[in-house]
Amino acid sequence: MNYPKITKIIETRKEAKDTKTILFKDSVEIIPGQFFMIWIPGVDEIPMSVSYIDKDIKGITFRKIGDATKALYNLKKDDKIGIRGPYGNGFKINGKNILFVGGGTGIAMIAPAVEKASYEKITSTVVLGVKNKDELFFEKKLQKTGAKIFVATDDGSKGDKGFATDLAEKMLNEHKFDSVLTCGPEIMMKKLHSLCNNIPFQASLERYMKCGFGICGQCCIGKGLRVCKDGPVFDGETLKNIEEFGKYKRDASGKKIPL
Amino acid sequence: MDEDAGSMERITRCGAGGVVTKSIGLEPREGYPNPTVVELECGILNAMGLPNPGINNFEDEIKNLKKSNVPVIGSIFGSDKDGFVELGKKMQSYGADALELNMSCPHAKGYGLEIGSDPDLVREITKNVKKSTKIPVFVKISPNLANIVEIAKAAESAHANAIVAINTVKAMKIDLELRIPILSNKIGGYSGKAVKPIGVCCVCEIAKNVNIPIIGVGGITTGEDAIEYFMAGASAVQIGSGIHYRGVEIFEKICIEIESWMKDHNYNKISELIGVAHI
Ligand SMILES: Cc1cc2nc3c(=O)[nH]c(=O)nc-3n(C[C@H](O)[C@H](O)[C@H](O)COP(=O)(O)OP(=O)(O)OC[C@H]3O[C@@H](n4cnc5c(N)ncnc54)[C@H](O)[C@@H]3O)c2cc1C
Ligand SMILES: Cc1cc2nc3c(=O)[nH]c(=O)nc-3n(C[C@H](O)[C@H](O)[C@H](O)COP(=O)(O)O)c2cc1C
Ligand code: FES
């Protein structure tokens, strides 16, 4: 039911500058790309991708950017949070050779998808894009899957200097992929979409969310697609018909704001 | 799914005869912080807090929607007659086919039910909106009224074209683990399956006392639920929470269910069913 389950944090991990993982007990089945609504009592309830999928333990990984994520960042072991979900459709992971592109906190939701692909013996190439080396996380976790990992930083402090899309473009020119999966800043995903021409493409979108289960209308895009329920992952064909993709989102009031 | 043109268009593609917009006010409003919506055993509890982009930003949504010729009922909320009049005029100029005056939201201070429980205010606002617009005006009323018939009569006396009943039922859920109300606003409105008998009763009481049409709403998830509202005296119905129970396709499903019920029971027209339960 769409009601938060109150649970205790069993562990917190610092992953990078201002970035933490919170782990809690939960035995629910997750498709990589799905998300939870996380209730921080007295503060807010916000959507967070599932970044850590184990049989009985789940986790989220986030960067502190505002009130809710700051409050979440300051929580400790045994503090209580509420969890609703999982919500959304998640990635379809198929093909023999997949290119994953994660930008910023988008890396959090890309990670379990790479893990699943590796479990299914799919050859995976992963491009991680961050501003600088202090913001990079999950590199080791992803290396363990056997995937080939490439890093791009805006300032060149690690890996290639430049955008994740520059690096991804190079990969797309040099290798043949059956599928491209991405999560990150929408401008990045939009660029990647345009590079993918005929390669099956899936991108995970973010929109302001309230209910998370498709009833309030807050997160709608295109012709009535609810990011929380019909998404957050959309394929390349669908994205072609979503006029606002890469252009604008809406604030809590429903007003359009340019990306 | 009533805040943007794309969603409202999808709803009509799914078989709805028309759409009611999210309630729109004069200024943009973010609504209350989350949690704003949760599901309980028999219904949905929400305190959105009337989030909306403000009437001026809504012009595009209505205009885009009208490109596909969708019948649109513009829902508006204000804190006084001048607010309602300005909103009504703007909605009409953007192309709305009718207006719904929200005088019944149970969880927004200074709006909704706080206005809709005073028959004089209901009469005054409705009268003024009617005077300054040409499109039909519906008044949406709350089940949380000791004097629901009096309020409906006030709307009728001010020449409202129809009554819409009901809005959500004032409600609260306390979380046992945390010992606090789950909604950030504490108080919210209950909708979905649990409220259907309340809605049916309100429609029945109103129907016996006013002569204008009634639009029934509250807990409708099947064709038979809609028929129950017709029997109570509704001429048309609206569906909100049902989308959660049966998907966006609910509109088409309900139309088919109504038709098949009517066929099985030898009815040709919905009008033959309206108010049959009044004896
Ligand atoms: C499906 C989905 C998955 C997400 N997964 C992750 C993740 O794995 N890691 C991560 O770090 N972030 C993730 N986010 C983003 C995260 O929800 C926001 O960063 C968070 O809500 C910010 O809240 P705040 O109060 O700290 O910041 P604010 O200062 O309130 O806002 C900062 C930004 O966050 C957005 N935001 C605020 N509240 C919400 C809300 N209820 N719904 C959507 N966006 C909101 C605002 O629009 C604004 O752009 C995800 C968002 C979505 C929609
Ligand atoms: C999430 C949500 C948002 C709502 N927003 C509005 C609104 O803006 N204006 C309004 O008049 N009623 C609003 N309502 C009330 C519905 O229009 C309807 O009157 C009520 O939910 C009962 O019908 P239902 O059981 O079919 O949902 C809202 C209901 C829900 C669940
Ligand atoms: S967040 Fe409510 S419909 Fe998606």
Side-chain angles (χ1 to χ4, degrees):
Chain A
M1 197 153 64
N2 299 291
Y3 185 87
K5 191 168 71 193
I6 307 302
T7 185
K8 276 188 188 163
I9 294 173
I10 58 169
E11 191 185 331
T12 67
R13 288 181 192 160
K14 180 140 191 210
E15 305 284 3
K17 183 168 177 284
D18 294 341
T19 308
K20 262 191 186 174
T21 293
I22 282 182
L23 298 172
F24 43 87
K25 282 208 182 104
D26 200 329
S27 311
V28 66
E29 292 242 355
I30 304 277
I31 302 168
Q34 288 186 309
F35 67 95
F36 286 121
M37 291 299 290
I38 305 283
W39 181 27
I40 311 133
V43 184
D44 203 346
E45 188 187 36
I46 53 172
M48 280 287 154
S49 308
V50 189
S51 65
Y52 188 97
I53 306 176
D54 195 11
K55 193 166 166 290
D56 296 319
I57 295 170
K58 304 292 178 294
I60 52 168
T61 304
F62 57 92
R63 176 133 88 241
K64 59 170 174 181
I65 56 165
D67 289 349
T69 44
K70 263 182 211 147
L72 203 53
Y73 196 88
N74 292 333
L75 294 182
K76 295 185 186 63
K77 183 170 181 290
D78 291 334
D79 283 342
K80 287 178 179 171
I81 51 174
I83 312 281
R84 288 197 281 136
Y87 291 123
N89 53 0
F91 285 112
K92 289 192 187 69
I93 299 171
N94 39 38
K96 292 202 186 82
N97 194 358
I98 303 181
L99 174 65
F100 294 89
V101 182
T105 50
I107 296 170
M109 77 125 62
I110 283 292
V114 178
E115 284 168 342
K116 173 135 191 262
S118 124
Y119 181 79
E120 291 179 0
K121 310 223 156 28
I122 296 168
T123 308
S124 305
T125 306
V126 185
V127 172
L128 303 176
V130 287
K131 287 207 181 75
N132 57 61
K133 69 172 193 324
D134 296 338
E135 291 190 1
L136 183 65
F137 62 97
F138 281 2
E139 192 190 9
K140 284 211 185 77
K141 179 176 155 91
L142 287 168
Q143 268 159 354
K144 272 194 224 151
T145 65
K148 281 169 275 178
I149 314 292
F150 299 87
V151 175
T153 50
D154 295 0
D155 65 355
S157 54
K158 182 158 181 147
D160 274 36
K161 182 173 182 333
F163 294 127
T165 41
D166 301 336
L167 197 50
E169 187 168 13
K170 214 162 74 186
M171 307 275 167
L172 285 164
N173 289 334
E174 289 167 11
H175 307 276
K176 196 185 158 302
F177 295 99
D178 307 326
S179 180
V180 176
L181 271 53
T182 183
C183 180
E186 205 160 302
I187 308 283
M188 175 197 96
M189 298 195 288
K190 173 91 177 172
K191 176 85 203 294
L192 197 59
H193 187 219
S194 70
L195 294 173
C196 281
N197 296 321
N198 297 321
I199 308 171
F201 177 84
Q202 294 171 60
S204 178
L205 269 52
E206 285 185 8
R207 282 298 180 272
Y208 204 101
M209 287 183 183
K210 289 182 177 172
C211 72
F213 59 99
I215 188 83
C216 76
Q218 172 69 43
C219 67
C220 292
I221 56 169
K223 295 273 179 243
L225 294 172
R226 294 158 297 179
V227 174
C228 70
K229 191 160 178 102
D230 304 306
V233 177
F234 294 99
D235 64 29
E237 283 306 306
T238 308
L239 289 168
K240 272 184 199 156
N241 297 317
I242 297 176
E243 172 212 346
E244 62 254 57
F245 176 50
K247 294 198 187 107
Y248 67 84
K249 56 179 188 173
R250 289 175 192 265
D251 66 9
S253 78
K255 207 167 62 194
K256 293 178 184 174
I257 35 179
L259 281 169
Chain B
M1 293 177 69
D2 50 7
E3 207 171 330
D4 65 295
S7 302
M8 290 187 275
E9 200 198 311
R10 178 174 180 195
I11 297 289
T12 52
R13 265 187 284 129
C14 286
V19 283
V20 186
T21 68
K22 178 128 223 77
S23 294
I24 304 297
L26 288 172
E27 298 298 329
R29 240 176 100 99
E30 297 205 332
Y32 300 129
N34 283 348
T36 44
V37 195
V38 290
E39 183 182 6
L40 305 179
E41 261 150 286
C42 310
I44 289 171
L45 179 66
N46 92 83
M48 307 302 301
L50 296 172
N52 78 96
I55 189 75
N56 295 335
N57 288 310
F58 211 61
E59 176 168 6
D60 273 358
E61 308 294 342
I62 301 270
K63 288 197 164 153
N64 283 334
L65 186 57
K66 285 312 292 180
K67 280 183 200 152
S68 35
N69 262 326
V70 171
V72 186
I73 301 167
S75 172
I76 53 177
F77 72 94
S79 56
D80 55 21
K81 79 170 193 313
D82 295 342
F84 271 101
V85 165
E86 184 180 342
L87 289 160
K89 282 195 199 154
K90 286 192 169 162
M91 271 289 183
Q92 170 174 279
S93 73
Y94 302 159
D97 300 282
L99 293 172
E100 185 176 289
L101 313 183
N102 180 348
M103 302 201 191
S104 42
C105 178
H107 51 68
K109 232 187 144 6
Y111 299 105
L113 182 53
E114 289 190 15
I115 287 169
S117 49
D118 177 345
D120 294 333
L121 266 178
V122 171
R123 193 175 300 111
E124 156 121 335
I125 291 169
T126 311
K127 200 172 76 193
N128 281 282
V129 174
K130 275 301 290 177
K131 247 191 349 216
S132 44
T133 54
K134 292 201 179 73
I135 50 180
V137 174
F138 310 154
V139 175
K140 183 169 180 183
I141 64 180
S142 167
N144 289 110
L145 291 167
N147 54 347
I148 190 162
V149 168
E150 195 187 347
I151 296 294
K153 282 184 163 168
E156 182 182 41
S157 73
H159 307 291
N161 300 84
I163 304 284
V164 182
I166 56 174
N167 207 314
T168 51
V169 182
K170 201 166 170 176
M172 181 187 279
K173 165 69 191 165
I174 293 168
D175 187 84
L176 266 66
E177 287 296 314
L178 297 176
R179 301 167 194 98
I180 53 171
I182 171 113
L183 296 175
S184 77
N185 186 57
K186 301 179 177 71
I187 292 173
Y190 203 28
S191 63
K193 291 181 186 180
V195 310
K196 194 190 70 179
I198 302 172
V200 168
C201 181
C202 290
V203 168
C204 199
E205 286 191 324
I206 298 164
K208 282 186 186 161
N209 290 284
V210 305
N211 293 312
I212 52 176
I214 300 163
I215 300 170
V217 49
I220 298 174
T221 64
T222 65
E224 297 194 0
D225 293 340
I227 286 165
E228 198 176 338
Y229 269 97
F230 295 143
M231 290 183 175
S235 306
V237 293
Q238 293 177 5
I239 293 162
S241 308
I243 293 177
H244 169 60
Y245 298 105
R246 298 187 73 194
V248 191
E249 305 73 29
I250 186 171
F251 301 96
E252 199 172 357
K253 289 181 186 161
I254 284 192
C255 292
I256 295 170
E257 289 160 4
I258 292 175
E259 277 174 23
S260 97
W261 190 94
M262 286 173 57
K263 215 171 134 203
D264 289 349
H265 295 81
N266 296 319
Y267 283 97
N268 290 315
K269 291 199 213 112
I270 288 179
S271 57
E272 296 164 18
L273 281 165
I274 297 171
V276 294
H278 303 174
I279 331 145

